[in-house]
Amino acid sequence: MKPKDFRSDLEPVWCTGCGDFGVLKGLTQALSDLAVAPDKLAVITGIGCSSRLAGYTRAYAFNSIHGRALPIATGLKLARPELTTIVVGGDGDGFSIGLGHIPHAVRRNVHLTYAVLDNGIYGLTKGQASPTTESEFKRERGLAGIEERPLNPVLLLLSSGCGFVARSHAGNLPHLREMFREAIVHPGFSFVHVLAGCVTYQKPTYAQEIYRRCDLLPADHDPTDFARAVEVARSERFALGVIYWRPQGVRPAAAGADYSDLTGIWSPGATTAESGFPGE
Ligand code: SF4
């Protein structure tokens, strides 16, 4: 099937130039590459501009509840394991009201792909600051910027123990397509951080500024090196690519701490899972 065959009959109501168009395109291209049958595909989303993507996809699609797409998708995948299950939401949906679900979805390690379309703003409700809003952001309606530091999505997922963490940009379709492909075939919980611009409620320069801060990961980047992945996540620059990947059956590293001398706690990236390790 061609990418367009994964599109529903609904016309997107996103603003012209919204980064979400690129994500819809990259995702449908990846689904076409992987020859996923639409009747074996589920797309579960939260609430927000990016979560409208469920309605634009030809699949079992559910535009669900604010911040609750992950537990809904987890239940679906456990009941219908034959469905390729994609979860999509925005930075507000996922990292504010939905934040508490992320580490639990990660530790259950059910085979889902979670894509957060991060534009650093609440677009659907007209431009409030989100958990990833940069601190120099100024709201148009007079308030003088955001004091809180933005949350770091990649670091958050790494520290939760996620076995597949990638980042891409909605304006780089070949790259986005590849990241979706790799995430979908990862046989556990996978996370794709997608930088996507809001052309309506962000400053006009925002999208260019974010794009300027992006670099492709170097060819010699070793995605199994957890310490290196954390360094990459902490950078001021946005590294694009598979930042971290852990083979199934290997226990997650504990972020930021070396527990190797403690009995009963696995050392970072070292040991093989015992049978019955959750989700594997
Ligand atoms: Fe996209 Fe922003 Fe328009 Fe929402 S408000 S559709 S995020 S450009």
Side-chain angles (χ1 to χ4, degrees), residues 167-191:
R167 186 192 277 128
S168 191
H169 189 288
N172 188 339
L173 274 184
H175 188 266
L176 190 57
R177 176 181 193 161
E178 185 188 341
M179 292 302 103
F180 274 132
R181 266 200 321 256
E182 297 211 18
I184 291 168
V185 300
H186 176 72
F189 187 92
S190 58
F191 174 69

Side-chain angles (χ1 to χ4, degrees), residues 8 120 131 172 193 213 237 254 274:
S8 74
N172 188 339
H193 182 216
R213 283 170 57 190
R237 309 275 308 164
E274 296 160 11

Side-chain angles (χ1 to χ4, degrees), residues 13-15 18-20 49 119 123-124 197-201:
V13 295
W14 291 318
C15 309
C18 176
D20 296 347
C49 289
N119 55 19
L124 192 68
C198 171
V199 292
T200 300
Y201 294 110

Side-chain angles (χ1 to χ4, degrees), residues 129-153:
S130 85
T132 59
T133 300
E134 299 277 342
S135 49
E136 68 270 20
F137 173 82
K138 303 264 191 263
R139 282 179 283 184
E140 283 178 355
R141 290 173 203 74
L143 298 180
I146 304 302
E147 293 297 323
E148 298 94 342
R149 287 187 306 163
L151 186 148
N152 182 327

Side-chain angles (χ1 to χ4, degrees), residues 5 68 119 169 226-227 233 249 268-269:
D5 298 322
R68 312 299 176 211
N119 55 19
H169 189 288
F226 182 76

